[in-house]
Amino acid sequence: MRRWLAVSWSVLRRVGSTIANSWRRRLQFRVVASTLLLGLLVVVLLGAYLYRAIGSSLENDRIRASQSEAQSLTTTAQANFDSAVATDVNSLYSVAQTLVQGQLVPPGADQTRYVILTRAIDNTSTAVLGTMGSPGVSSDVVTDSIRRAVSADPTRQQTQIVQFHDPQTDSDVPAVVVGSQVQVPIVGAYDLFFIFPMRAETATLQHISRSFSVGGLILVLLVGAIAWVVARQVVVPVRRASAVAERLAAGNLNERMPARGHDELALLAKSFNAMADSLQTQIHQLEGLSRVQQRFVSDVSHELRTPLTTIRMAADLIFDAREQFGAGVARSAELLHTELDRFEDLLADLLEISRFDAGAAALDTDPTDLAVLARKVVDGAASLAEVRGSKVTVTVEKSDRSTIAEVDPRRVERILRNLVVNAIEHGEGRRVTVTLAGNDDAVAVVVADRGVGLRPGEASLVFNRFWRADPARTRTTGGTGLGLAISLEDARLHDGWLQAWGEPGVGARFRLTVPKRVGEPIGVSPFRSVRRVPSEWRRDGAGSRPASSARCPVRRSRAGWPRDDAPSRPRRCRGRRRRGRRGLQRARDVVPGPAGARRQRCEHRAPAVRAARPAARRGARGHHPGLPAGRHGE
């Protein structure tokens, strides 16, 4: 029994879930279901009203007919008793028996009424005639209430409707009981009751009820069919518009809705097509402008290489001979040499970012141990770490999973170099840790520092081009402003993730996760969640709440990392304006979701404020590994 109940409950839940999903997702289903329910309610209420009205009318007609017939029969019975010649009770009993079972009941098999003659309640005569009635009818059908009513007013008829067991049909039917009083010689007052079964009225009401049920059901189904046809006339064009909009959003800008007629739907189709034409024109204009911009950046970058090479040769000669000049000229030669280095770095980064914008970037993958790359990057940044007073350590989590993955070594090394140099530059002389781990699907690297950290909302801005956490901060090592933007594009090129987390005054962490095999999605990062910052990292009472990435509604672990088991369906973010010292800024959540999901990016509605700054990151390129990088996108 319990198993049967469990199976039934499971089936009911599935059916309910199916109906609920159809109700939420299908407009036509909602319209038809609502029409059916409302139509059924109207039919039930109207049928109940008509049923009661018809039943009441039949009942009243039957009562009037019964009273008229009973009045006539009562007059006949009283005349027979008055004309009867009876000298004792026995002879009187024979007269009453003949009257009750002969003249007062209908002849033949038509039992449309029954008769009961019984002693009145207020009869005090010593002579008793006894109770007599139609065969098969019990005197219990006559209630005490109607007997008292007859005794209280003998000159008037009393009527009552009771439930009566009909001997003819052997079933319970309503019946009209009409009572009056007659005077019987010798024995005194007796009550005469006529019982009229309402067989015909009951059959009529049953027929009407069946007719109402069948007719109401047919009417509801017809109304539902009409609602389905009407709703389809509206829903089908809407579905066509939805399909056209989806194809339009997928990039097929030539899709249009068919516009026929002059009704509201035709007006909708014409407005939609006008909007699509406008969007197509604007998109083509923007694509043209984008191609011009990309070509301009690429051409300028290439054209600058030749004069830059000449200037570099001349500057190197002047720099090598600076000891022969005066102090002012020697210092100018050093500044010229430094700024040329920055200019070369900026030019290289612009060329690289233009390749990403043009979609020309490609991977040259090879099985590579990321632990070896991390140690190579740390060794290359050792001189900068020594100058800054930071100690950089590389740790590989103990696991039976290796840290070897099919990646482009040059690009991954560039990502790690940007992250490590960035951490050293802004670690304020504290320890920097590089931690690696692997699982069946991916390899992850976490670079953590204990420096200035990130304010709330800056975890996403760090990957924007030419963005700086503090514009007033003095540049000690320089930077192009494109390092982390290029790193993010490199990670995406691997179908990987690059995510940021931080707290003001506590530190920042960057997590790089790449798949072990090319083309396979990442299920769960080896660092599924990162513990809260240890207490020894904190200073000046810094809190433990992580800085969220532009506060987008992406599910996150308690440590602030986006959870890897978050739904793959991208969620839209409602634009939220942030007002700070630099005015309104545009924030982008660049935290990618799990593999297979579209990149989640929420564009806040405020205008962007991006200031290009002097460039000098050497570590963002594939060479000059020892030079530092600017903080967070510099």
Side-chain angles (χ1 to χ4, degrees):
M1 182 66 179
R2 186 174 300 175
R3 182 178 180 181
W4 182 83
L5 290 176
V7 172
S8 302
W9 176 248
S10 177
V11 172
L12 289 176
R13 286 186 61 184
R14 285 197 297 269
V15 172
S17 177
T18 302
I19 295 175
N21 290 335
S22 299
W23 181 272
R24 287 194 301 266
R25 298 178 181 178
R26 299 182 60 186
L27 176 62
Q28 189 173 6
F29 178 82
R30 280 204 307 273
V31 172
V32 174
S34 302
T35 304
L36 287 175
L37 292 176
L38 293 176
L40 182 62
L41 179 62
V42 170
V43 167
V44 169
L45 294 178
L46 183 61
Y49 171 75
L50 293 176
Y51 184 84
R52 287 177 61 88
I54 295 174
S56 178
S57 177
L58 291 174
E59 180 181 315
N60 293 333
D61 291 343
R62 184 57 173 166
I63 290 174
R64 285 192 296 269
S66 300
Q67 289 175 343
S68 177
E69 188 175 353
Q71 180 67 35
S72 175
L73 292 174
T74 301
T75 302
T76 301
Q78 185 64 56
N80 287 335
F81 281 126
D82 291 341
S83 62
V85 179
T87 57
D88 55 9
V89 174
N90 291 331
S91 60
L92 185 62
Y93 181 83
S94 297
V95 172
Q97 188 76 13
T98 301
L99 178 65
V100 169
Q101 296 185 0
Q103 297 182 17
L104 299 183
V105 298
D110 183 17
Q111 300 296 325
T112 58
R113 66 177 179 269
Y114 299 95
V115 183
I116 294 178
L117 180 66
T118 183
R119 182 184 175 91
I121 293 177
D122 56 351
N123 190 345
T124 59
S125 175
T126 57
V128 178
L129 188 62
T131 300
M132 60 188 67
S134 300
V137 178
S138 174
S139 62
D140 294 338
V141 69
V142 179
T143 63
D144 293 338
S145 60
I146 192 172
R147 293 187 64 188
R148 285 193 298 269
V150 171
S151 298
D153 190 2
T155 61
R156 299 183 60 183
Q157 285 183 330
Q158 304 297 328
T159 306
Q160 187 181 38
I161 296 178
V162 298
Q163 198 69 17
F164 172 66
H165 184 77
D166 190 1
Q168 183 175 349
T169 61
D170 194 22
S171 61
D172 292 337
V173 295
V176 179
V177 179
V178 181
S180 57
Q181 197 172 89
V182 294
Q183 295 296 325
V184 182
I186 302 174
V187 295
Y190 264 68
D191 294 338
L192 182 60
F193 295 98
F194 294 94
I195 303 168
F196 298 91
M198 301 175 66
R199 303 189 195 99
E201 290 77 6
T202 302
T204 301
L205 285 178
Q206 290 177 352
H207 178 71
I208 291 174
S209 176
R210 287 193 296 269
S211 299
F212 277 174
S213 300
V214 175
L217 181 60
I218 294 175
L219 179 62
V220 170
L221 292 178
L222 287 176
V223 171
I226 293 172
W228 183 83
V229 173
V230 173
R232 182 177 175 81
Q233 292 179 355
V234 178
V235 170
V236 169
V238 173
R239 288 177 179 171
R240 291 195 189 121
S242 176
V244 171
E246 289 179 356
R247 291 193 294 269
L248 194 66
N252 191 355
L253 301 179
N254 294 321
E255 287 290 333
R256 296 295 183 269
M257 286 182 59
R260 292 186 293 268
H262 303 282
D263 56 3
E264 289 80 0
L265 294 175
L267 180 60
L268 172 63
K270 293 176 182 177
S271 302
F272 183 89
N273 293 338
M275 180 192 68
D277 292 336
S278 177
L279 287 177
Q280 185 178 19
T281 302
Q282 295 181 17
I283 289 174
H284 286 332
Q285 291 176 354
L286 292 175
E287 287 178 349
L289 292 175
S290 177
R291 286 193 295 268
V292 170
Q293 181 183 11
Q294 294 173 9
R295 177 62 62 87
F296 173 77
V297 173
S298 178
D299 291 345
V300 169
S301 301
H302 282 288
E303 293 299 330
L304 286 177
R305 281 194 172 276
T306 301
L308 182 61
T309 304
T310 304
I311 296 173
R312 164 60 67 184
M313 295 174 59
D316 288 342
L317 289 176
I318 297 174
F319 182 75
D320 292 339
R322 67 184 182 280
E323 296 179 356
Q324 302 176 10
F325 306 130
V329 178
R331 178 56 179 165
S332 298
E334 293 174 356
L335 292 175
L336 177 62
H337 187 271
T338 302
E339 294 304 321
L340 278 175
D341 289 340
R342 292 187 178 183
F343 187 71
E344 281 186 335
D345 293 339
L346 177 60
L347 187 61
D349 286 347
L350 284 174
L351 285 172
E352 186 66 25
I353 207 73
S354 65
R355 295 190 189 98
F356 285 114
D357 292 339
L363 288 177
D364 184 13
T365 59
D366 191 54
T368 306
D369 191 345
L370 268 66
V372 175
L373 282 182
R375 293 188 179 94
K376 178 181 178 182
V377 169
V378 171
D379 292 341
S383 59
L384 175 62
E386 183 178 357
V387 172
R388 302 292 296 177
S390 297
K391 181 181 179 181
V392 184
T393 59
V394 179
T395 305
V396 180
E397 293 287 336
K398 293 182 179 180
S399 173
D400 56 349
R401 305 294 189 272
S402 67
T403 57
I404 299 177
E406 296 179 4
V407 297
D408 188 332
R410 180 181 67 86
R411 295 183 183 276
V412 173
E413 183 179 354
R414 179 167 58 193
I415 296 174
L416 296 178
R417 183 180 299 110
N418 278 322
L419 298 181
V420 171
V421 173
N422 206 32
I424 295 173
E425 170 65 19
H426 293 270
E428 297 189 348
R430 293 178 175 83
R431 183 162 58 95
V432 175
T433 59
V434 181
T435 310
L436 296 94
N439 59 17
D440 294 333
D441 301 326
V443 179
V445 183
V446 174
V447 179
D449 64 71
R450 285 85 166 165
V452 296
L454 295 170
R455 291 189 294 270
E458 292 182 350
S460 61
L461 299 177
V462 294
F463 299 102
N464 288 356
R465 300 174 186 181
F466 302 111
W467 184 84
R468 294 191 65 196
D470 186 1
R473 184 179 177 88
T474 303
R475 289 183 182 270
T476 58
T477 59
T480 65
L482 298 172
L484 289 181
I486 294 175
S487 298
L488 178 63
E489 296 297 337
D490 282 334
R492 287 176 174 173
L493 199 59
H494 286 84
D495 291 330
W497 311 339
L498 182 58
Q499 299 154 310
W501 176 92
E503 294 182 34
V506 176
R509 298 182 183 184
F510 290 80
R511 180 179 70 174
L512 170 66
T513 308
V514 293
K516 279 192 171 182
R517 289 165 290 276
V518 177
E520 294 188 4
I522 300 175
V524 177
S525 176
F527 293 108
R528 185 163 184 171
S529 64
V530 181
R531 299 173 183 173
R532 294 189 180 275
V533 178
S535 57
E536 62 268 16
W537 288 23
R538 308 183 186 281
R539 57 186 179 87
D540 301 331
S544 61
R545 186 178 63 83
S548 63
S549 297
R551 298 189 179 274
C552 289
V554 181
R555 295 174 60 192
R556 302 181 183 279
S557 67
R558 293 184 177 179
W561 291 107
R563 289 178 50 178
D564 299 325
D565 57 350
S568 61
R569 179 176 59 87
R571 301 185 181 182
R572 295 181 180 177
C573 174
R574 297 178 180 176
R576 178 178 300 178
R577 292 188 177 184
R578 298 177 57 254
R579 188 177 297 276
R581 184 175 61 184
R582 295 173 56 193
L584 297 176
Q585 294 179 338
R586 182 189 300 270
R588 290 180 182 173
D589 188 355
V590 292
V591 179
R598 291 181 292 179
R599 296 190 184 98
Q600 301 183 25
R601 174 173 299 185
C602 56
E603 294 285 348
H604 294 259
R605 298 188 180 95
V609 179
R610 296 179 181 173
R613 289 177 172 75
R617 176 188 288 271
R618 302 171 190 268
R621 299 193 305 170
H623 55 280
H624 304 302
L627 294 182
R631 179 56 161 177
H632 308 319
E634 297 177 1

